[in-house]
Amino acid sequence: MIHPEELSPSELFRRADQLARRTTRGSDANWYRAPQEIDWQVHVWFEGGREVVVGVYYRPGREWRAGPALSLSQLATGEGVDGWLAQVVTGGYFPKRVKALGVILHIADECGFAALRDGAVPVGAGDDDFRVAHFTVLEEPLEMLADREVSADQTGWRLLPLFGAVAGAPPAVAVALSRTREPWLEQLVVEGEALRVPVRVGWVSAPVGMLAALPLVVPGLAGAVVVVPYLKFTVVAAVAAAGELVAVRSLANRGQVVPVGLGDAVHGMALAAELAVPGRPPPVVVVAMSERVETAART
């Protein structure tokens, strides 16, 4: 098939007309929705261990249940994507027949934050400034990042605003997302077309999702440093007294339950975010997946 950029206007019109008449793209809005807006969703969580966690979510009823098994090799190589997708669509995981599918990959095996260049987001930025910065980081990351040597081909970038940043601190950072599993997501779209089911895909940073969910996980959270340990890294974030995000960083665990020097990192962030009181330890909230990890983080 010839790429659309190589077609003349009349040829583009004919192709669009054929798609509208021969497919549901002209009548089914699910082809153009974001994956989280679709009623039938599959969420895939990978933390870097041997297990891939799959959950299905039926949006109208807000119903969660375990999804079909997905092996680490399938996620890495794309082997058996057609069979796995068919199982999701026809395996009875949803209370109603699947008419479209949103697949969201939660990346929890790596996490990186990068500084933006000076002035990338102006001091006192408003909604419009952050909106422009969001799309610029997404489409032209090298124009926004302080480090111009990073790879835009192997890594995707997103903007994380720091609405509680103190005076002189950066108002936002960039979040790095590896593209290593992008081919698996793209293959799902292709297989969905073969099944005549709109499949929309997306990939998100699991730690950023956790930060967004903190008001639900820890109601009333304010004026504290939050520690969120994962298998391979630990995220440390400062939350202002008003409940807004002040600063965030990621520390590699390097084979430990939590990284060496975590206490120093917490104390330094508390001081920088003006959360620490001289002579007293900073308030710390640990959000961990197990009691063992929480104990290690607190000690």
Side-chain angles (χ1 to χ4, degrees):
M1 179 177 288
I2 302 175
H3 194 279
E5 291 183 354
E6 300 178 15
L7 297 176
S8 67
S10 61
E11 291 171 329
L12 277 173
F13 176 81
R14 282 196 296 271
R15 178 176 291 185
D17 181 62
Q18 290 174 350
L19 286 173
R21 287 188 291 106
R22 299 178 183 178
T23 73
T24 59
R25 281 177 169 81
S27 58
D28 189 347
N30 285 310
W31 285 105
Y32 312 102
R33 290 193 172 115
Q36 65 270 21
E37 296 174 340
I38 293 177
D39 288 345
W40 301 266
Q41 299 177 17
V42 179
H43 293 258
V44 179
W45 170 286
F46 176 63
E47 198 177 11
R50 298 180 180 179
E51 183 181 14
V52 180
V53 179
V54 180
V56 299
Y57 178 63
Y58 184 58
R59 191 164 171 247
R62 297 184 177 181
E63 302 172 35
W64 283 95
R65 63 177 297 182
L70 179 67
S71 69
L72 182 58
S73 62
Q74 285 178 302
L75 182 61
T77 65
E79 180 183 354
V81 166
D82 53 347
W84 182 81
L85 182 61
Q87 188 178 1
V88 172
V89 173
T90 63
Y93 290 95
F94 298 95
K96 292 187 177 182
R97 182 175 68 87
V98 177
K99 298 180 181 179
L101 195 66
V103 181
I104 302 172
L105 176 62
H106 298 257
I107 300 174
D109 63 329
E110 58 183 57
C111 180
F113 300 102
L116 302 177
R117 62 171 176 78
D118 292 341
V121 179
V123 177
D127 291 344
D128 289 342
D129 297 307
F130 280 111
R131 192 174 297 110
V132 170
H134 163 75
F135 286 108
T136 306
V137 167
L138 194 67
E139 299 172 3
E140 300 290 342
L142 298 184
E143 296 296 320
M144 297 289 286
L145 299 174
D147 183 2
R148 298 295 184 92
E149 302 300 320
V150 299
S151 170
D153 296 328
Q154 299 178 4
T155 306
W157 298 90
R158 303 292 186 272
L159 187 76
L160 178 61
L162 304 173
F163 291 121
V166 298
V173 295
V175 183
L177 290 170
S178 171
R179 295 184 181 276
T180 53
R181 295 175 191 90
E182 203 171 52
W184 179 76
L185 293 172
E186 292 173 346
Q187 193 172 349
L188 285 173
V189 175
V190 174
E191 297 298 338
E193 291 178 349
L195 294 173
R196 296 184 180 276
V197 174
V199 176
R200 304 291 291 158
V201 299
W203 39 313
V204 299
S205 168
V208 173
M210 173 58 77
L211 292 176
L214 280 177
L216 299 176
V217 178
V218 188
L221 175 65
V225 176
V226 180
V227 177
V228 188
Y230 289 84
L231 181 63
K232 293 187 175 183
F233 60 89
T234 296
V235 171
V236 182
V239 178
E244 297 174 330
L245 192 62
V246 177
V248 63
R249 65 178 298 191
S250 176
L251 305 170
N253 291 348
R254 303 191 186 282
Q256 305 296 316
V257 178
V258 293
V260 175
L262 175 61
D264 293 336
V266 168
H267 186 70
M269 180 170 287
L271 288 173
E274 302 178 358
L275 298 177
V277 176
R280 279 193 285 172
V284 178
V285 174
V286 179
V287 181
M289 305 297 178
S290 69
E291 184 177 349
R292 170 176 169 268
V293 174
E294 180 175 356
T295 301
R298 291 190 179 280
T299 56

